[in-house]
Amino acid sequence: MNKTVNINLAGTFFHIDEDAFGKLSRYLDAIKKSLSDPQGGDEILRDIEARIAELFSEKLESSSHVITLKEVDAVIKVMGQPEDYMVDEEIFEDTPSTAKTRKSTSHKQLFRDIDNKFISGVSSGLAHYVGIDAIWIRLSWVLLTLLTSGIFIVIYILFWILVPAAESTSDKLKMTGEPINISNIEKKFKEGYDTVADKVKSVDYDKYGERVKSGTTGFFDALGSILLTILKIFVKFIGVILIIISLSTLIGLIVGLFTFGSIDLWGHGEVMDYIALVDTTNAPIWLISLLVLLAVGIPFFVLFILGLKLLIDNLKSIGTPAKIILLAVWFLSIIGLGILGIRQATEQAYNGEFVEETALSIHTGDTLRLAMVANKHYEYNVRRSGGVEIKYDENDEKIIYSNDVRLIIRSTRDSIGKIVVEKTAEGKSLLEAKKRAEAINYNFSANNNSVLLDGYFLTNIDNKYRNQEVQVIMYLPVGTILYAEENTYSFHRNSSHHRDILNNGQEFHYIRILENKTECLDCPVNETEDWEGDSYNEDWEDELESEWNDDGDAHNIIINEDGIKINVADEKDTLKIKIGN
């Protein structure tokens, strides 16, 4: 059993066992003693500790894990032993000894080089990344900005905002692709220190004063700070929005689906009957609710975590194992819903039809009265509204009730009429769909030149709801007089492709059946009807007006309470007036 201690390494807390802590302490002490120049030693040691903390964070799976000798040895292998390097002035000579240096093999990362910046260090950072001189990058920015009418200025600003600056020694080594070890950290620090010292010694204070007065550097720094502040505020705002949306959705999903999923635990009531009516998967309600919760809730949970990370800078990750588990659970829930969806869809893959044809004892010249009727046991009024309901029949047995009945009137050249009842339903096979359509119970009665159509149909609840519909087509001989009751209005509100010749609004009127059209015998005459009783044709009016006014003369007819006045410009003109019914 080993003791563990808590340490603060470069601002990050770690749990480390006692043996590993001892080895790490001895390692840091050895590094401190190996530094060639005491001046700046504390800064170098802080950079080394920051790099070690970064390596520890990469190797630990979660913040609760304890650092052992294994992790310490792995970090020391990356950083190197102090005695492996000659950390003195020799490493800064123009021709370093090949025995004392290591070849740079680290992967480069993109940073802004603020030590060699002209505006923000974007160009010099890109130069380090691609391995060319910064002057060519700067010239490329200017050329591309001119060729694109300023678009690359926006791209530059985006680089300025999104690419981090190389502030620490580790960042600068990553930028140049050098290994981040003890030797390079001290070397980079001493290079920066010597550069600053040289600048301080050789500075022209008068020119420096003029530069400060010009404020060029300060302006760009201030502009960068403003842009970064605006971006941070915008990011925080996006984080708040993501948290509100995701949290509200998660709470709504949990409450709604928990309530819905526990329905089957309360017993088989009316709600369960309607669910069973449309559900073909036979899966438990709680399972469907759980799958929906996981499939929809996990992405919103990820958005919630993302919003927290945008809002809280130092928020710790939920860990790789948790991410893998969430992804696997989400993927399985999607597969489960997909399987249930396929099972549901296959039950409605085919559309079956069952047709019944009955002769109607109506001949040319006869008058037929047509009405829809309701069964007072189920519904008092008769009106088409679609959908289904579960009702009880005379024997108190559950049945499916629907008033999804469509009425179509068409003309025929036969001497006798007929009624065609088309029943349709869906199923997982054509045979099953046809049987389900045949099981629809629909009736009508015809006697004494009167036809009474049921405004509803019934079917056994075991057939379930599979989009059952009834379409009643009445074929009437040309010349038949039809009187449709007002309650037929909602049942024959059909589009043109149904070829229904009975128009809405012709109820309560005597209608003569013509060839593919009707003629109203007792409708009031108005300007919206043409000479043969068809709809008013605006093209006819345009043609007539053009014919009358082509020569610029004033031909007109005025009909008012004073009588009829006809104006003809020329006595030789002929004016034809046709008066219809």
Side-chain angles (χ1 to χ4, degrees):
M1 181 181 295
N2 294 332
K3 293 182 180 179
T4 61
V5 296
N6 296 327
I7 61 172
N8 182 354
L9 195 62
T12 305
F13 288 94
F14 295 98
H15 302 288
I16 185 171
D17 66 35
E18 195 172 26
D19 295 338
F21 175 72
K23 186 168 186 178
L24 180 63
S25 299
R26 292 190 297 272
Y27 178 69
L28 293 175
D29 289 340
I31 291 175
K32 189 173 183 180
K33 293 177 182 178
S34 69
L35 297 177
S36 60
D37 190 352
Q39 191 172 19
D42 293 338
E43 293 290 337
I44 298 173
L45 194 61
R46 276 198 292 269
D47 285 333
I48 293 173
E49 289 180 354
R51 175 56 179 165
I52 293 174
E54 183 180 336
L55 292 173
F56 279 151
S57 299
E58 292 175 357
K59 295 181 180 299
L60 294 181
E61 296 182 356
S62 68
S63 59
S64 61
H65 286 192
V66 177
I67 297 173
T68 62
L69 284 171
K70 178 182 177 181
E71 284 77 23
V72 173
D73 291 337
V75 169
I76 292 175
K77 183 177 180 180
V78 174
M79 297 296 295
Q81 294 287 353
E83 57 269 19
D84 292 341
Y85 303 92
M86 185 178 292
V87 283
D88 55 19
E89 296 299 329
E90 292 181 5
I91 65 175
F92 304 107
E93 294 178 358
D94 293 337
T95 309
S97 172
T98 56
K100 302 301 181 181
T101 60
R102 294 185 177 182
K103 186 178 179 180
S104 174
T105 58
S106 297
H107 178 68
K108 291 183 181 180
Q109 296 185 24
L110 183 59
F111 288 92
R112 288 186 292 112
D113 187 1
I114 56 177
D115 294 333
N116 187 28
K117 68 178 182 178
F118 188 79
I119 296 178
S120 64
V122 170
S123 298
S124 52
L126 286 171
H128 286 298
Y129 191 77
V130 299
I132 61 175
D133 195 273
I135 185 63
W136 301 113
I137 301 293
R138 293 187 176 108
L139 290 175
S140 299
W141 280 117
V142 174
L143 181 61
L144 291 172
T145 300
L146 294 175
L147 293 176
T148 59
S149 302
I151 294 178
F152 266 78
I153 294 179
V154 178
I155 298 176
Y156 184 91
I157 294 174
L158 289 176
F159 269 96
W160 189 352
I161 294 173
L162 300 177
V163 178
E167 297 178 350
S168 66
T169 304
S170 296
D171 292 341
K172 295 174 183 178
L173 291 172
K174 292 176 183 178
M175 180 176 63
T176 57
E178 299 179 63
I180 308 174
N181 50 38
I182 302 170
S183 176
N184 285 333
I185 289 176
E186 183 183 10
K187 175 183 176 181
K188 183 63 68 174
F189 179 84
K190 294 195 69 176
E191 285 178 349
Y193 180 81
D194 293 341
T195 301
V196 172
D198 293 340
K199 288 182 178 179
V200 170
K201 293 177 182 178
S202 61
V203 67
D204 188 333
Y205 290 100
D206 292 335
K207 291 183 179 180
Y208 186 77
E210 293 297 328
R211 185 179 179 185
V212 171
K213 291 179 182 179
S214 64
T216 303
T217 304
F219 168 75
F220 286 115
D221 289 340
L223 180 60
S225 300
I226 293 172
L227 292 175
L228 288 174
T229 303
I230 293 174
L231 179 64
K232 288 179 181 179
I233 295 174
F234 179 73
V235 168
K236 300 292 184 183
F237 176 75
I238 295 297
V240 172
I241 296 297
L242 289 178
I243 289 174
I244 294 174
I245 294 175
S246 57
L247 193 59
S248 302
T249 304
L250 288 173
I251 294 175
L253 279 173
I254 293 173
V255 173
L257 294 179
F258 176 80
T259 304
F260 183 75
S262 59
I263 288 178
D264 53 350
L265 302 177
W266 302 341
H268 295 279
E270 185 178 350
V271 176
M272 286 299 301
D273 289 337
Y274 277 99
I275 293 174
L277 200 64
V278 297
D279 179 33
T280 63
T281 62
N282 297 320
I285 301 299
W286 65 265
L287 177 60
I288 298 176
S289 301
L290 180 62
L291 291 176
V292 172
L293 176 63
L294 294 175
V296 180
I298 289 177
F300 278 96
F301 176 74
V302 173
L303 287 179
F304 176 72
I305 298 297
L306 178 60
L308 286 178
K309 285 190 174 183
L310 294 177
L311 203 60
I312 304 173
D313 295 331
N314 298 323
L315 183 69
K316 290 189 176 294
S317 173
I318 61 175
T320 302
K323 293 177 183 178
I324 294 174
I325 292 173
L326 285 176
L327 181 61
V329 171
W330 178 80
F331 189 69
L332 291 175
S333 64
I334 292 294
I335 293 177
L337 288 177
I339 293 173
L340 295 178
I342 292 173
R343 290 179 60 183
Q344 180 77 21
T346 53
E347 284 290 331
Q348 299 173 300
Y350 293 90
N351 189 32
E353 184 179 59
F354 182 77
V355 180
E356 295 177 322
E357 184 176 319
T358 305
L360 184 61
S361 183
I362 189 75
H363 301 81
T364 301
D366 292 344
T367 299
L368 176 67
R369 176 181 172 270
L370 176 64
M372 310 297 294
V373 295
N375 189 328
K376 301 300 187 291
H377 183 78
Y378 304 113
E379 196 170 22
Y380 185 78
N381 295 318
V382 58
R383 179 178 178 81
R384 183 188 182 195
S385 59
V388 295
E389 295 181 69
I390 297 177
K391 293 184 180 292
Y392 290 87
D393 61 10
E394 293 82 356
N395 301 319
D396 293 333
E397 297 290 337
K398 292 179 182 178
I399 59 168
I400 297 176
Y401 171 90
S402 175
N403 50 23
D404 194 1
V405 178
R406 183 184 300 278
L407 173 62
I408 299 174
I409 306 297
R410 293 175 184 168
S411 63
T412 178
R413 288 183 174 272
D414 296 338
S415 59
I416 191 171
K418 63 180 179 180
I419 296 178
V420 178
V421 178
E422 296 180 355
K423 305 174 184 179
T424 58
E426 295 174 345
K428 63 181 179 181
S429 67
L430 187 60
L431 180 60
E432 181 179 302
K434 186 177 180 179
K435 288 182 178 180
R436 187 173 279 121
E438 187 177 359
I440 295 175
N441 182 16
Y442 180 79
N443 299 302
F444 66 90
S445 62
N447 52 64
N448 299 328
N449 288 354
S450 178
V451 175
L452 300 178
L453 302 173
D454 284 354
Y456 65 96
F457 65 84
L458 306 173
T459 189
N460 194 290
I461 196 169
D462 294 334
N463 294 321
K464 296 193 174 184
Y465 175 64
R466 295 297 180 268
N467 201 25
Q468 288 93 335
E469 292 181 0
V470 170
Q471 187 168 270
V472 181
I473 307 175
M474 292 187 62
Y475 290 90
L476 300 179
V478 173
T480 304
I481 308 300
L482 174 64
Y483 183 86
E485 295 287 351
E486 189 176 6
N487 62 9
T488 62
Y489 176 86
S490 62
F491 291 91
H492 70 90
R493 295 187 63 184
N494 302 317
S495 58
S496 59
H497 79 274
H498 288 100
R499 296 186 291 118
D500 184 9
I501 63 175
L502 180 62
N503 299 319
N504 284 120
Q506 291 183 332
E507 304 82 8
F508 262 26
H509 294 289
Y510 288 93
I511 307 298
R512 178 182 286 121
I513 303 299
L514 303 178
E515 184 73 26
N516 296 326
K517 61 182 178 180
T518 59
E519 178 186 17
C520 184
L521 300 180
D522 60 347
C523 294
V525 179
N526 54 66
E527 67 275 7
T528 62
E529 292 184 345
D530 67 9
W531 313 125
E532 297 182 356
D534 295 331
S535 299
Y536 176 70
N537 192 340
E538 293 183 358
D539 295 336
W540 175 85
E541 180 194 24
D542 295 338
E543 180 182 352
L544 186 61
E545 183 178 356
S546 174
E547 180 182 349
W548 284 2
N549 294 327
D550 280 344
D551 57 358
D553 295 333
H555 306 308
N556 57 71
I557 301 173
I558 300 174
I559 303 176
N560 53 30
E561 63 273 9
D562 296 330
I564 301 175
K565 182 180 179 181
I566 301 175
N567 292 331
V568 181
D570 193 337
E571 295 180 355
K572 297 180 180 179
D573 286 346
T574 300
L575 179 63
K576 294 181 180 180
I577 300 175
K578 184 177 181 180
I579 300 176
N581 297 329

